[in-house]
Structure formats: structure tokens, C-alpha cells
Amino acid sequence: MREFDLIGYVHEVFRQAGAADGAGCPVGIGDDAAVLDVPASQQLVACTDALVEGVHFPEATPAAAVGYKALAVNLSDLAAMGAEPAWFLMALALPQADTAWVDAFATGMAELAVEADIRLVGGDVTSGRRSVCITAMGLVEPGTALRRDGAQPGDRVVVSGQPGRAANALRALESGDRPDAGDKLALQFPEPRLALGRALRGRATACIDLSDGLLSDLGHVLQRSGCGAVVELERIPCAETLLALPAQERWRRQLTGGDDYELCFTLPAAECGHLAALGEAAGIPLTVVGEITEAPGLTLLEPGGQRYQPQGTGWEHFR
Ligand code: ADP
Ligand code: MG
């Protein structure tokens, strides 16, 4: 395939899936830029995230998982803002235009695009080290986007799902073991928590998605909100596959493993009665793990009540 065959191929996969251009996009793939109709009564929410082979995913990752996850991590950012997905652009670099790889990659991404109701409206293709950079756009009613800076002392700290599973799978793959099937799904096909983000609009005081790990990501919320938190390690929801690990290693994966794409949010104590119903409606269990404090800093408590000093801080590039 040549460059323009490749663009045509990707476009066709998305068109057939019903996830290219379309309503609200009078000019889409095929011109120099896309033209998008942003409804007058909405705000545009935009984010971008790249996946680079060897950094974000191992070389052996199936093409369908690379395509799916590149979009999923961006949808996770939209979910953390409480935005409704609308459009995305995709810049792709490949060492060679291998038709089978491109087909599985585009199909994996298009399936999620259909599920999330987001349309591919443009992009770029270059040769180079395999990487995918997506820019996703969503819509919210003015002033309703979830943010990192609204946590208040007394709010409960809540997480969705079971952080640490992706790290568990990655560790297994890296040491040549076979990961648990559920952990592997969490690593390769994380489910963006869009329904949860939607349900949290007007309820959560702050929200972030867990990409680098709970320790680092909750830290961002605390810093932006100008407060602290106390988190009890034993309250962090734990997958069965992590239970067998020594406590220190389990906490390390839950706190700093990263790649979870769960949501961490703060909720006024008075709202916590709705938590089970919220989780049920969003299709993901929600767990209170701690509380926001006026005193700055994140205090982690071991089961005995003593302070836990974490090793490492979470995923960081350029360290
Ligand atoms: P230009 O040379 O003006 O940058 P390109 O040749 O890169 O334009 O792209 C041609 C058209 O194909 C543009 O509309 C662009 O948005 C679209 N396109 C290119 N790559 C992708 C891709 N990976 N996914 C979707 N659309 C793409
Ligand atoms: Mg170009």
C-alpha cells in the first residue's frame, strides 16, 4: 500500500462501520482539514494522547489492541471531563504499510468508535517508528465539564474498577509468563468509563482518569484543588489476581502501576448514598478509598493505621 491507499483503506473501514465523517462534519477526510459544526449551546472539549511502540505498548501487541487502545486512552480523557464524544483525528506512523496490520488496527479502533459514538474526521500518515497519536473532541453543556480543581475537605475519594490489573498483566508479559485473561483485557482493551463520567457531571467535585497510577493522578487532583487526602490501602478495590502478591508489591501495582484508565473522583459525603446506584448505572463498581483533608499531601495508611511510604511515584517519561 502507498500512503494514499492506506488513508483510503482506513477511511473505508471507518465508513463501513459508520464511524467516519457524517452528521456535524460537512467537510471530513479528503480535504486539508475537517470542518465541524459545534452546537451553539455546547463547549468543545479537546484532548490528545499518543501511543508509541516500545514505550506504551510492547512490539508483540496485536494490531487490534493498538488501534483500540489508542482511541480508548483518549476517550478516557473525555470521560474524565464528563464530555460526550464527538470527533477525532488520528496521526499514524508505521515502518511499512502492512495491509493485514492496518486492517486489524483500523477494525479494532472502529469497533470502539462505534461503541462510543465518535467519528473519525481526519488525520495524517507518515513512515517511521510505529506510533499512533489521536486528538479527540467532545461536547459538554457550558460550565459542566468535570475538572481536577474542585475537591473540598470532607469529600470522599472514589475509584472505579480495580486499579493494578493492567500493571499485573504487563509484568507477566515482560517476564514471559501468561497473564490472567481479565488482566490482559484490562491492559490491551481498557474500557473508557464514559457512562460514569457522564453520570458524574454536576455531582463530582473533581475527577481524573488513572493513566499514570492512583498515587500520581490523585496527587494532581490534590495539587490543583489545594488540599490533601487520607487513603486507606486496604480499601483500594483489589482484583483476585493481585491478592496472592505480598502486600508491598500489591500496593505498588495498585498505586503506581498505571495504565488503569479507571476514574478517580471526589464526591461530597452527602452524595455518597447514591454511589451504588451510580456504579450500577455506569456498569462499574465504585469504591470509597479515602477522604479529602484540608492539610496538604497524600497520606496512605496501612491496615494497622501506620503511614505507608510508597516506593516510586508512577509512570513518568524522561526520568
Ligand atoms: P495534507 O498533505 O494536506 O496534510 P494528507 O495527505 O496528509 O493531507 O491527508 C489527506 C486527507 O486524508 C486529509 O483529509 C486527512 O485528514 C486524511 N487523513 C490522513 N491520514 C489519516 C488518518 N490516519 N486517518 C484519517 N484520515 C486521515
Ligand atoms: Mg499530511
Side-chain angles (χ1 to χ4, degrees), residues 3 123-125:
E3 178 188 341
D124 193 26
V125 172

Side-chain angles (χ1 to χ4, degrees), residues 71-82:
L71 182 55
V73 301
N74 280 276
L75 289 170
S76 178
D77 281 328
L78 291 183
M81 301 298 290

Side-chain angles (χ1 to χ4, degrees), residues 28-104:
I29 296 172
D31 214 312
D32 289 308
V35 178
L36 306 168
D37 294 323
V38 179
S41 60
Q42 307 252 279
Q43 285 179 319
L44 189 68
V45 178
C47 63
T48 191
D49 241 326
L51 295 191
V52 178
E53 187 174 79
V55 179
H56 299 93
F57 61 91
E59 220 170 286
T61 307
V66 177
Y68 175 100
K69 189 164 173 177
L71 182 55
V73 301
N74 280 276
L75 289 170
S76 178
D77 281 328
L78 291 183
M81 301 298 290
E84 300 294 337
W87 306 288
F88 72 105
L89 301 151
M90 183 242 293
L92 179 63
L94 292 175
Q96 70 269 321
D98 169 345
T99 309
W101 196 93
V102 170
D103 183 64

Side-chain angles (χ1 to χ4, degrees), residues 73 120 238 240 246 290:
V73 301
L120 179 65
C238 186
E240 243 172 76

Side-chain angles (χ1 to χ4, degrees), residues 271-289:
E271 289 267 0
C272 281
H274 304 299
L275 209 56
L278 262 177
E280 206 136 298
I284 183 75
L286 304 176
T287 311
V288 175
V289 298

Side-chain angles (χ1 to χ4, degrees), residues 255-269:
L255 292 169
T256 63
D259 245 4
D260 299 304
Y261 304 104
E262 295 295 347
L263 295 186
C264 173
F265 55 95
T266 55
L267 205 59

